[in-house]
Amino acid sequence: MLVSPDVPGEVWAHFSVVRAEPGAFASLDPGEGVLFTWEEAEQDGYAYRALDVRSAYRG
């Protein structure tokens, strides 16, 4: 689950939308800052779904 002041609710995210360096395993640490795009779409009880997620620190 992701949160942002730009989204009016919590955002559902699947690990398959997390970007990683080529050959690296896509992962994020709890509490890690991220940048993401989202859409309004019902997903597993959430009203919003992430389309692309990347670490704010790893670029």
Side-chain angles (χ1 to χ4, degrees), residues 40-54:
E40 190 171 338
E42 182 64 30
Q43 182 72 53
D44 295 335
Y46 293 88
Y48 306 96
R49 174 173 55 207
L51 301 172
D52 179 72
V53 181
R54 63 186 169 93

Side-chain angles (χ1 to χ4, degrees), residues 14-48:
H14 188 267
F15 82 94
S16 65
V17 300
V18 176
R19 276 203 260 163
E21 301 281 331
F25 182 75
S27 67
L28 297 170
D29 296 322
E32 181 177 346
V34 296
L35 303 172
F36 65 95
T37 58
W38 57 277
E39 66 180 353
E40 190 171 338
E42 182 64 30
Q43 182 72 53
D44 295 335
Y46 293 88
Y48 306 96

